[in-house]
Amino acid sequence: MNQKTLIGLTLGLATIVAFVVAFWPSPIPVSVATVQRGVFTETVEDEGYARVRQPYPILAPISGFLRRVSLEPGDQVSMGDPLFELESLPTPGLDSRTREQMMDAIQAATARVELAKAQLEIQTSRYQMAESEWERQSALYEKQFISKDAFERATTEKEAAFGAMHAAEHALEASAFELKGAQANLDIADGQRATDEQPTLIVRSPIEGTVINRERCCEGP
């Protein structure tokens, strides 16, 4: 075998090897891991809605002025615990004409109070004079210096004066109450809240449970 034949065989063999390498299938990439025995855990997270089977909506039974509610959603309450408190509604604001009329009513009530005081002083003086006269007539009657009719007239005058004095006292009380009421109406109309002496309505929980929702927390009508 000469040199040319050897070179030809070498080139042919190299060509065959090149074709084989070119058409040989490429390896497919795969993921591998070591198989182990263990616990498989799968978690699913999502938002949900809780529904109460027996809700108890609590509403105000009457109109009123709501005081601030201290309970928060999630608070626990027992049966009979106070939920919220209502007081009477304040008088609406007054216009200038109505305010002047109320001021005139206060002045008129004040004048009636002064008149009732003067009447009471007059009737008190009359009663004191009638009582003094009755004591004098009583002493004379015991000594038989005056007749029975004169003594009875003195007694009647004393009783009449006493009744007139008490009537004047009641008139003064009535006029004082009238003045107080007129002044209170004006004060409330000027924006003043009801006093602590006035009764309030406390709405209590009918059951033991949890506060789920609160419509409002701040005070107001």
Side-chain angles (χ1 to χ4, degrees), residues 127-147 150-155 157-158:
Y127 171 71
Q128 291 175 354
M129 292 177 62
E131 186 179 21
S132 298
E133 180 64 17
W134 177 83
E135 291 177 353
R136 189 178 69 84
Q137 295 289 344
S138 178
L140 294 175
Y141 178 71
E142 290 179 356
K143 297 179 181 180
Q144 298 182 354
F145 289 161
I146 61 174
S147 64
F151 175 71
E152 289 179 351
R153 284 195 299 270
T155 303
E157 291 178 359
K158 173 189 173 184

Side-chain angles (χ1 to χ4, degrees), residues 93-160:
L94 300 177
D95 52 36
S96 57
R97 180 179 179 182
T98 306
R99 185 178 297 277
E100 290 179 359
Q101 292 176 351
M102 295 189 69
M103 293 295 297
D104 293 340
I106 291 176
Q107 292 178 359
T110 303
R112 284 190 288 272
V113 169
E114 296 299 328
L115 178 60
K117 288 181 179 179
Q119 291 293 332
L120 178 60
E121 291 179 357
I122 293 173
Q123 297 300 333
T124 301
S125 298
R126 288 180 178 177
Y127 171 71
Q128 291 175 354
M129 292 177 62
E131 186 179 21
S132 298
E133 180 64 17
W134 177 83
E135 291 177 353
R136 189 178 69 84
Q137 295 289 344
S138 178
L140 294 175
Y141 178 71
E142 290 179 356
K143 297 179 181 180
Q144 298 182 354
F145 289 161
I146 61 174
S147 64
K148 183 178 180 181
D149 292 339
F151 175 71
E152 289 179 351
R153 284 195 299 270
T155 303
T156 302
E157 291 178 359
K158 173 189 173 184
E159 292 177 352

Side-chain angles (χ1 to χ4, degrees), residues 162-214:
F162 182 77
M165 183 182 67
H166 272 277
E169 290 177 351
H170 292 314
L172 178 58
E173 291 179 358
S175 59
F177 285 137
E178 183 180 356
L179 175 60
K180 184 178 180 181
Q183 186 65 50
N185 290 333
L186 183 61
D187 291 341
I188 295 176
D190 285 337
Q192 293 186 8
R193 292 270 299 279
T195 61
D196 295 336
E197 298 177 356
Q198 294 187 3
T200 59
L201 172 64
I202 300 178
V203 179
R204 301 183 181 275
S205 175
I207 61 171
E208 180 180 358
T210 304
V211 178
I212 300 175
N213 186 26
R214 184 180 61 181

Side-chain angles (χ1 to χ4, degrees), residues 86-97:
L86 293 173
E87 65 183 43
S88 59
L89 285 170
T91 304
L94 300 177
D95 52 36
S96 57
R97 180 179 179 182

